[in-house]
């Protein structure tokens, strides 16, 4: 194995470990923010924003949702594609490959997660209705996002333990 192959394998292993940790952190924070909440409303969000502890949990949820998506979509996925000998292209193309290989459920959903992340990060300062809608959608998508992240991290782990890797 050449130095470059070792580096790719080490990087892939590192990213898989990070993705698993981030998935766990997102799940814990999601439970702390949304536990017992039937539906995220503007009124509820206004209460959270006015309560420093709740606001910090909300910020942690938004950050962890975005961080997991960034780690998996922007780092782990390209590294996994490279490791199995696939070309890496624009994010949408990489996501299409991930869907084809069964690593994620749906590339379009992943792009929706990115849009939600941006709404949660940028729009809530101006519009609590937009934030409430984005948080409700983010809450619904948290478990599928975690499952896809863990599936891709598991795929990376499996590939690292195979003598020769190919996409499927």
């Amino acid at each position: 194995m050449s130095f470059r192959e070792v580096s790719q394998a080490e990087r892939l292993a590192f990213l898989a470990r990070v993705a698993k940790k981030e998935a766990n952190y997102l799940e814990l924070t999601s439970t702390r923010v949304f536990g017992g909440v039937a539906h995220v409303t503007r009124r509820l969000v206004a209460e959270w924003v006015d309560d420093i502890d709740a606001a910090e949990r909300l910020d942690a949820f938004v950050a962890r949702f975005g961080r997991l998506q960034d780690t998996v979509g922007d780092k782990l996925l390209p590294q996994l594609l490279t490791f199995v000998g696939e070309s890496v292209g624009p994010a949408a193309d990489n996501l299409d490959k991930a869907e084809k290989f069964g690593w994620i459920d749906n590339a379009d959903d992943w792009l929706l997660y990115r849009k939600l992340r941006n709404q949660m990060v940028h729009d809530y300062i101006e519009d609590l209705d937009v934030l409430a809608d984005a948080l409700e959608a983010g809450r619904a998508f948290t478990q599928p996002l975690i499952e896809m992240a863990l599936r891709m991290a598991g795929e990376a782990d499996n590939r690292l333990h195979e003598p020769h890797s190919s996409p499927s």
Side-chain angles (χ1 to χ4, degrees):
M1 195 177 279
S2 74
F3 176 73
R4 183 171 182 202
E5 289 171 319
V6 171
S7 296
Q8 283 185 357
E10 288 174 351
R11 176 82 175 145
L12 183 59
F14 167 77
L15 291 169
R17 284 192 312 272
V18 168
K20 287 185 269 188
K21 287 179 183 179
E22 288 178 354
N24 183 54
Y25 294 153
L26 175 59
E27 188 163 43
L28 292 170
T29 301
S30 177
T31 299
R32 290 190 69 212
V33 171
F34 300 117
V37 173
H39 185 75
V40 179
T41 63
R42 180 194 201 317
R43 182 172 167 244
L44 183 58
V45 170
E47 290 173 16
W48 286 341
V49 170
D50 288 340
D51 176 325
I52 190 67
D53 291 330
E56 286 176 351
R57 284 191 301 272
L58 185 62
D59 284 346
F61 170 78
V62 170
R64 289 175 172 176
F65 186 94
R67 190 167 31 251
L68 179 59
Q69 186 186 49
D70 290 345
T71 296
V72 175
D74 297 343
K75 297 175 184 166
L76 178 59
L77 175 56
Q79 189 67 38
L80 181 56
L81 288 170
T82 298
F83 189 78
V84 299
E86 288 288 317
S87 62
V88 174
D93 293 347
N94 295 342
L95 291 168
D96 286 340
K97 287 179 184 181
E99 181 181 346
K100 180 180 109 180
F101 299 144
W103 300 343
I104 63 171
D105 296 331
N106 186 300
D108 292 334
D109 285 351
W110 197 273
L111 295 172
L112 178 60
Y113 302 157
R114 172 69 66 169
K115 183 178 178 183
L116 283 172
R117 172 194 168 253
N118 291 341
Q119 284 180 326
M120 289 187 285
V121 168
H122 300 295
D123 294 341
Y124 82 91
I125 292 173
E126 293 294 321
D127 191 337
L128 291 180
D129 290 317
V130 171
L131 178 58
D133 290 345
L135 286 170
E136 178 61 26
R139 178 176 77 110
F141 287 134
T142 294
Q143 200 56 45
L145 175 61
I146 289 169
E147 289 169 7
M148 285 186 273
L150 293 176
R151 187 180 321 141
M152 199 173 307
E155 183 69 25
D157 289 341
N158 290 340
R159 298 299 176 140
L160 287 165
H161 295 98
E162 291 179 359
H164 178 69
S165 295
S166 62
S168 277

